[in-house]
Amino acid sequence: MAPLRLVWMWLLVAGTQEPAGVKDGDMRLADGGSANEGRVEIYYSGQWGTVCENMWDLTDASVVCRALGFRNATEALGGAAFGPGHGPIMLDEVRCTGTEPSLANCSSLGWMRSNCRHDEDASVICTNETRGVYTLDLSGELPAALEQIFESQKGCDLFIRVKVREEDELAICAHKLILSTNPEAHGLWKEPGSRVTMEVDAECVPTVKDFIRYLYSRRIDVSLSSVKCLHKLASAYQAEQLQSYCGHLFAILIPQDPSFRTPLELYAYALATRDPVLEEICVQFLAWNFGALTQAEAWLSVPPGLLQDLLSRTELVVPSELVLLRAVDEWSRERSTSHKEVEGLVEKVRFPMMPPRDLFSLQFNLSLYWSHEALLQKKILQALEFHTVPFELLAQYWGLNLTEDAYQPRLYTSPTWSESVMSSSYNPYRSFQTPQHPSFLFQASSVSWSLVYLPTLQSCWNYGFSCSSDDPPLLALSKSSYSSPTIGYENRALLHCEGSFVADVIDFKGWKALIPSALGTNSSRSTSLFPCPAGLFSRFQVVIRPFYLTNSTGMD
């Protein structure tokens, strides 16, 4: 049995090895009629994939051609000109300057972050002339060599003292010439001289050497235990690429705290370190989980500036606008907020999205009503006009622009506007009804919808949908009854993780919404912004969002 076990182990190891000589960022042309043309494919993380045609141009194509030994590109083609590829779509919205050695070095959405399909694969036709230059590239060995120089702690001409509260904790020596070649290191070594002092928190001392080593090799392994300290060091010493990278990793940490303390603390930290990436990640999570936030103890500790930002967002997940207003009422009452701050928040509430019954009840069950009576009466009147006057007249006589935020529904999760299906459900089909529109003018009419979760190509066929092999898993949503031609719909699907938080929000393109990977394990799909530890979404919730099709400001 031992030899057999060794054979299996050898096969397992051999099966996971990268092809000899192939590394991330290498490119090739596939399915062309000659060596100088074909579909662009790029290698990453052990496999080949394609590039989406979005923003694909001759500059991008020339980067591919020159990397493959040709002088330039003559054509940059989209629409899978040489046939659709297979596997993941590696890059989307590629924007090159023309000097990069690979598309991997160009600006893009990032590896495997794309909603494209293979019928949108990019292709090139290169000139037949080759450059006559052949390159031996051993630069991949350089990071390890630079790390060895750092680890040797010999031949140094820069001495770094690491201090915690004025106490020396660590001494490191470095090399000016190597650090001077890396823009990420310029914030560490600002002044001429041979000595640098780093002031750090005690908890971050163990990560300082990792940070300096990164400035040598430009690569680093980041764990969940080290990410915050590395982010602090990168922020303090202007290592912007490392700062941004760590900022994105916080998306893994934030959902792990159901009390919402972690995202609120990280939001304050992002403001203090002026990190817009981390700030947006925190605000996005809180917006998608706003309904749960208002029920948490941490709700009353939400700072006014953050609450203003949240209430400004259309993609705010909450049962209804009335629930939102009551939460703001509680927040302002418990915090003893100033009159001006409360008015600023009330201005962000979308009163037209409340039905007349709820608007009438505000004077009886809203504590801030009488202290802000004039403003609330103005908002209620605005909402009642929306509910009772046809939008053509509102546009004609008031010049009302119904595309303004106040007239756009948020992501309302009450049964009035949403329906859910479980990913593990035996019956993934749901039929439901919603009002045609939030306006009371449409109270007597409803719209029928059909929702189905399609995890496989076979399930598409079973339910009569025409899907390509790249589509599943997906959600299918269809409208099965008449609705007014003046009304359109921008529907969304909320992807719930283990029933505890919303991990992502996706839109419908036509009748379908492609579901991203919950944990990045499906290499052919983009990954949800906030990954699910279980590796799958537990529930899909569709939210119906009607809007008037006509921009009233342009009407006669």
Side-chain angles (χ1 to χ4, degrees):
M1 290 298 292
L4 182 60
R5 186 179 295 111
L6 289 173
V7 170
W8 276 110
M9 290 177 65
W10 180 84
L11 287 173
L12 179 62
V13 173
T16 59
Q17 296 295 306
E18 295 183 358
V22 181
K23 61 183 184 299
D24 288 351
D26 282 356
M27 298 175 292
R28 68 184 183 187
L29 301 182
D31 295 340
S34 59
N36 66 313
E37 63 180 22
R39 180 179 59 254
V40 176
E41 296 189 349
I42 187 167
Y43 189 83
Y44 175 70
S45 192
Q47 59 188 326
W48 290 94
T50 62
V51 176
C52 182
E53 65 182 10
N54 291 336
M55 305 183 73
W56 185 249
D57 61 20
L58 207 57
T59 302
D60 309 325
S62 292
V63 168
V64 177
C65 292
R66 285 195 287 270
L68 297 177
F70 301 99
R71 288 192 180 276
N72 268 310
T74 59
E75 292 187 59
L77 305 172
F82 291 92
H86 303 282
I89 295 174
M90 291 296 191
L91 296 174
D92 191 359
E93 295 189 14
V94 174
R95 286 163 289 178
C96 302
T97 62
T99 60
E100 296 87 351
S102 166
L103 296 181
N105 303 103
C106 302
S107 171
S108 72
L109 296 181
W111 290 110
M112 293 188 290
R113 297 193 68 85
S114 173
N115 287 323
C116 292
R117 301 178 356 174
H118 280 301
D119 58 7
E120 301 170 273
D121 284 344
S123 303
V124 300
I125 298 178
C126 305
T127 60
N128 272 318
E129 301 174 273
T130 60
R131 293 183 299 163
V133 176
Y134 303 91
T135 303
L136 171 64
D137 186 359
L138 301 178
S139 60
E141 301 173 4
L142 188 58
L146 292 172
E147 287 181 356
Q148 289 176 8
I149 294 174
F150 171 71
E151 294 293 350
S152 73
Q153 291 288 285
K154 295 178 180 178
C156 302
D157 55 0
L158 183 65
F159 301 91
I160 302 170
R161 294 172 59 203
V162 181
K163 300 179 69 175
V164 177
R165 297 176 184 172
E166 300 302 321
E167 296 291 331
D168 287 351
E169 292 288 339
L170 191 64
I172 301 172
C173 77
H175 306 81
K176 294 180 183 179
L177 181 61
I178 295 175
L179 293 179
S180 67
T181 65
N182 186 358
E184 292 276 272
H186 293 174
L188 172 68
W189 181 39
K190 293 180 179 178
E191 302 294 334
S194 60
R195 299 191 179 277
V196 171
T197 299
M198 296 178 66
E199 297 276 357
V200 302
D201 296 335
E203 62 176 343
C204 296
V205 171
T207 62
V208 172
K209 288 191 72 173
D210 294 332
F211 176 67
I212 303 298
R213 187 185 300 109
Y214 160 75
L215 299 180
Y216 274 68
S217 65
R218 310 190 191 197
R219 67 180 184 184
I220 190 169
D221 294 324
V222 183
S223 66
L224 294 183
S225 60
S226 66
V227 62
K228 188 172 181 179
C229 280
L230 287 173
H231 187 272
K232 283 184 177 181
L233 291 169
S235 302
Y237 297 100
Q238 293 88 54
E240 294 179 357
Q241 293 185 65
L242 179 59
Q243 180 185 11
S244 175
Y245 182 74
C246 291
H248 285 293
L249 291 181
F250 281 119
I252 301 172
L253 286 173
I254 287 172
Q256 296 179 9
D257 180 6
S259 74
F260 291 97
R261 296 290 181 189
T262 296
L264 290 174
E265 289 171 1
L266 288 176
Y267 171 79
Y269 170 69
L271 292 182
T273 57
R274 298 180 181 179
D275 186 337
V277 173
L278 178 56
E279 179 184 347
E280 179 57 26
I281 288 173
C282 293
V283 177
Q284 187 68 84
F285 180 79
L286 295 171
W288 286 349
N289 294 275
F290 186 80
L293 172 63
T294 63
Q295 301 300 308
E297 186 178 337
W299 168 241
L300 299 180
S301 63
V302 174
L306 173 57
L307 188 52
Q308 279 274 0
D309 190 346
L310 290 168
L311 297 187
S312 300
R313 299 188 173 221
T314 295
E315 297 220 339
L316 188 79
V317 177
V318 66
S320 68
E321 200 70 20
L322 178 61
V323 170
L324 180 150
L325 179 56
R326 285 176 174 169
V328 171
D329 189 32
E330 179 197 14
W331 180 92
S332 64
R333 183 176 64 250
E334 296 296 328
R335 289 176 59 98
S336 301
T337 313
S338 72
H339 189 276
K340 184 177 180 180
E341 278 185 336
V342 174
E343 285 205 339
L345 296 174
V346 171
E347 287 284 358
K348 301 293 184 182
V349 177
R350 303 182 180 185
F351 288 87
M353 295 299 105
M354 299 184 207
R357 178 187 294 271
D358 290 346
L359 293 168
F360 177 76
S361 70
L362 295 181
Q363 59 188 308
F364 305 110
N365 54 30
L366 202 67
S367 62
L368 59 78
Y369 182 88
W370 297 109
S371 58
H372 299 80
E373 183 179 4
L375 175 60
L376 281 163
Q377 286 184 352
K378 173 186 172 184
K379 292 293 183 181
I380 291 171
L381 177 60
Q382 175 193 31
L384 291 174
E385 287 177 341
F386 172 80
H387 283 294
T388 56
V389 181
F391 77 92
E392 298 93 339
L393 295 180
L394 289 174
Q396 181 178 352
Y397 292 106
W398 290 109
L400 204 61
N401 182 0
L402 293 175
T403 64
E404 292 178 354
D405 287 346
Y407 304 103
Q408 303 302 310
R410 305 184 199 264
L411 298 175
Y412 299 129
T413 56
S414 70
T416 304
W417 295 108
S418 75
E419 181 59 84
S420 296
V421 60
M422 304 299 291
S423 62
S424 58
S425 175
Y426 176 75
N427 178 15
Y429 176 85
R430 297 288 184 274
S431 61
F432 62 103
Q433 290 186 327
T434 66
Q436 278 200 56
H437 191 271
S439 171
F440 196 69
L441 293 170
F442 297 92
Q443 65 154 339
S445 57
S446 60
V447 179
S448 297
W449 302 88
S450 298
L451 167 67
V452 60
Y453 168 52
L454 304 170
T456 64
L457 194 58
Q458 182 64 51
S459 62
C460 285
W461 298 336
N462 292 346
Y463 283 93
F465 290 98
S466 177
C467 303
S468 73
S469 59
D470 294 324
D471 284 345
L474 74 155
L475 296 171
L477 179 67
S478 55
K479 183 160 60 77
S480 54
S481 62
Y482 170 82
S483 63
S484 170
T486 63
I487 298 172
Y489 295 90
E490 290 182 341
N491 304 322
R492 298 287 189 270
L494 315 183
L495 310 184
H496 292 262
C497 182
E498 299 174 330
S500 59
F501 66 91
V502 176
D504 210 341
V505 175
I506 57 176
D507 60 353
F508 283 86
K509 293 183 178 179
W511 56 268
K512 60 187 175 182
L514 304 186
I515 299 170
S517 171
L519 197 57
T521 53
N522 183 345
S523 59
S524 64
R525 310 290 280 208
S526 60
T527 305
S528 62
L529 179 56
F530 300 99
C532 283
L536 52 86
F537 302 111
S538 59
R539 180 165 63 98
F540 307 106
Q541 184 173 20
V542 168
V543 176
I544 305 301
R545 293 175 59 193
F547 65 97
Y548 282 126
L549 284 171
T550 303
N551 185 340
S552 58
T553 56
M555 295 187 61
D556 296 331

